[in-house]
Amino acid sequence: MSFDVERIRRDFPILATKMRERPLAYLDTAASAQKPKAVIDAISDFYSSHYANIHRGVYQLSAEATRRYDAVRKRVAQFIGARDPREIVFVRNATEAINLVARSWGEAQIGKGDEIVVTTMEHHANIVPWQMLAARKEARLRVASIHEDGSLDVAQLESLLGPRTRLLAFTHVSNVLGTINPVAEITAMARARGITTLVDGAQGVPHGPVDVASLGCDFYAFSGHKLFGPSGAGVLWGRHAILDAMPPFLGGGDMIERVSFKGTTYARAPERFEAGTPDIASVIGLGAAIDYLEGIGMANIAAWEHALLVHATEALSKVPGLRIIGTAKEKAAVVAFVLDGVHPHDIGTVLDGEGIAIRAGHHCAQPLMEHLGLPATARASFAFYNTPAEIDRLVAALEKTRDLFA
Ligand code: PMP
C-alpha cells in the first residue's frame, strides 16, 4: 500500500518532540489523538482574524464567525452521512452527547419498569448516564455479554430485547478490546421491535468511514478530540424528527424562540440543545480536522491502521508471558494486553522511560475489567501517524520490562 507515513508525521508537530530524550512514540491515540498543524493553525487563525461571538452580532465579524461555525455543522453532517445539518448538535464531547440524550430523550421516554440495554464492553460514559436515568425512573438496566474473544454475543443481546426495552445503547468500537461491533445488524434487530438505538462512536468515527444512514441508529455520539480535532467540541447526531420532539436539556441564551415571564418557547433542534456560548474555536478546529482527514481519505486511514494492528498483534504475540486481551475478528487498532508478573502501571512506567506513551489502567470500563477478571491492562492504540518501527520499539521495551521484573 502506498501510504506516505513520514509525510503525514510531519503534519503533526508533537511527533517530532522528544520524551525522556528519545523520539516520542505516541501509542495512546484511543485516549486522545494528536493534532495536525492544519487544526492548530485553523484555531490560531480564527482567534487572530475572525473571532466574535456567534448568532448575536449584526456586525460583519460576528456574521462571519457564525457563518464559519454553521459551515462546520454542514461539514460534520457530510462526513458522517447525515441527511440534514440540523441533525448535528455541538456538545463538548461524547460524554455530554450521551448525557444529553439521557436527560432529554430519556426523561421524556423512559418510565417505571422500562428497560435499557447496554453491553459489558461499554465505557463508563455509556453506562453511568443510563444507570442514573434508570434510578430516577425506576427503570432497569440490562447488560448484553461478550464472547471470550471480546466480540459481542449478539444472540444473547437479541434475547434481552423484550416488550419493555425502550433503548439499546452500545459502542461502535470498544476502547479496550478494539472490537468493532456489527452496528447495522444490531440496530436492525432493535428497529424491528420499535426500540431506539444510541451508538457511542467515540472510538468508531476516528478509524474509518462512518455513515449513520447505513448504521441505522437513532443517535450517534462522538468527541472531536479523538478525531484529531481540539478538545471541547463533540457531536451528537440524532434523527431530526426525534431531536426536534425532545425537550430542552440546558436552558438559557440561544436555545429559545421567545422568553417572557408568562412562559418561554424554545428554538428547534439543534439550537434547542446549544444553550450559551459554545466552544466556537474548537468547532472551527473540528472542521479543519475533518478537512484534513478527508484529504488523506478515511478508507486509507483504516487500511494503514489495520496493517499496524496486524503487525502489532504478530509482534506482541511473540513476547513470552504477554497475553492480548481482545482478539475479535473485526478489530480496530487498539491492543490491550497483560504481561505475566508485571502490573500494567509498571509496564507504563518502564515504557515511559523509553519515550513510549501507552495507557495503563481500567480504561473507564470497570465492568468490563470485572468481567475479564483483571484489575487493569496496558493498552497500545495506533493511528495513521504511527509506524511499524514504533511498534518494534514497543515490543523491544516490553522484552526489557519482562527481564527487569523476571
Ligand atoms: N466512549 C468510548 C468508547 C471512549 O473510548 C471514550 C473516551 N475514552 C468515551 C466514550 C468518552 O469520551 P469523552 O471523554 O471524550 O467524552
Side-chain angles (χ1 to χ4, degrees), residues 30 93-95 123 125 171 173 175 200 202-203 223 225-226:
N93 47 37
T95 301
H123 185 280
T171 196
V173 174
N175 65 314
D200 172 357
Q203 300 291 347
S223 299
H225 72 94
K226 292 190 202 272

Side-chain angles (χ1 to χ4, degrees), residues 183-331:
V183 176
E185 183 191 338
I186 298 169
T187 59
M189 288 173 180
R191 204 163 46 251
R193 295 164 171 85
I195 297 165
T196 301
T197 49
L198 176 140
V199 174
D200 172 357
Q203 300 291 347
V205 83
H207 293 297
V210 163
D211 178 47
V212 288
S214 50
L215 292 178
C217 50
D218 296 307
F219 296 107
Y220 192 91
F222 64 94
S223 299
H225 72 94
K226 292 190 202 272
L227 193 64
F228 309 88
S231 49
V235 170
L236 171 67
W237 170 82
R239 291 183 192 282
H240 192 255
I242 300 180
L243 281 180
D244 217 31
M246 281 161 46
F249 166 46
L250 299 174
D254 253 14
M255 54 74 74
I256 51 89
E257 189 179 61
R258 184 173 161 71
V259 179
S260 120
F261 285 117
K262 295 195 199 81
T264 289
T265 52
Y266 306 115
R268 299 189 64 178
E271 285 79 12
R272 183 184 307 159
F273 302 108
E274 294 182 5
T277 301
D279 190 339
I280 308 166
S282 290
V283 167
I284 300 298
L286 175 59
I290 291 174
D291 287 346
Y292 177 81
L293 293 171
E294 291 212 314
I296 300 171
M298 291 310 291
N300 294 329
I301 286 173
W304 180 254
E305 289 184 5
H306 185 71
L308 292 175
L309 173 70
V310 170
H311 180 73
T313 305
E314 248 174 54
L316 289 168
S317 303
K318 290 190 190 127
V319 178
L322 186 145
R323 181 160 62 97
I324 292 177
I325 309 297
T327 52
K329 215 163 126 266
E330 297 298 325
K331 212 184 144 174

